[in-house]
Amino acid sequence: SDGSIRLHQMTSEYPLMQWNGSTKGQPVIALQWALTRPAVFFVLDASSNIYIWDLLENDLLPVAKQTMPSEKVVTMTLLGEPEKANGLLGIVLAKESGQIDIQYVKKKWALP
């Protein structure tokens, strides 16, 4: 609820990494690991901002941020085919009105 993100290992109750205030205090609504690239994950906050984290590029801050200004996004999920090397990765956004929006991610964050 405070925008903190914690990376845990299944064998420990203590986080391996913790990023406080990663969304400038906005609650995290959804977090999803990329299906095609293991070091990348996506975060949606309560202000409809999407943050892209690539731990191989920068493990302190997100590498990109995209604001969805038109309408509030209530949840997100990812789509892709991890068994294929084409690097196709999409974000499915569900908006408050019920509309679904699919956006494709740049190859640099999607390629295995």
Side-chain angles (χ1 to χ4, degrees), residues 9-83:
Q9 183 175 342
M10 296 297 287
T11 58
S12 174
E13 65 182 278
Y14 303 104
L16 294 172
M17 299 275 301
Q18 180 169 327
W19 300 276
N20 295 321
S22 61
T23 60
K24 296 183 178 47
Q26 289 295 315
V28 173
I29 303 299
L31 187 149
Q32 293 256 296
W33 285 98
L35 302 171
T36 57
R37 190 173 174 95
V40 174
F41 65 92
F42 298 80
V43 176
L44 171 67
D45 75 12
S47 294
S48 300
N49 296 306
I50 298 170
Y51 302 84
I52 302 173
W53 290 76
D54 184 344
L55 299 179
L56 296 178
E57 186 176 328
N58 186 342
D59 64 358
L60 299 175
L61 299 167
V63 294
K65 175 184 170 185
Q66 177 68 46
T67 302
M68 308 304 292
S70 60
E71 187 180 346
K72 183 176 170 111
V73 177
V74 295
T75 194
M76 75 170 185
T77 193
L78 299 179
L79 58 88
E81 297 177 294
E83 63 279 355

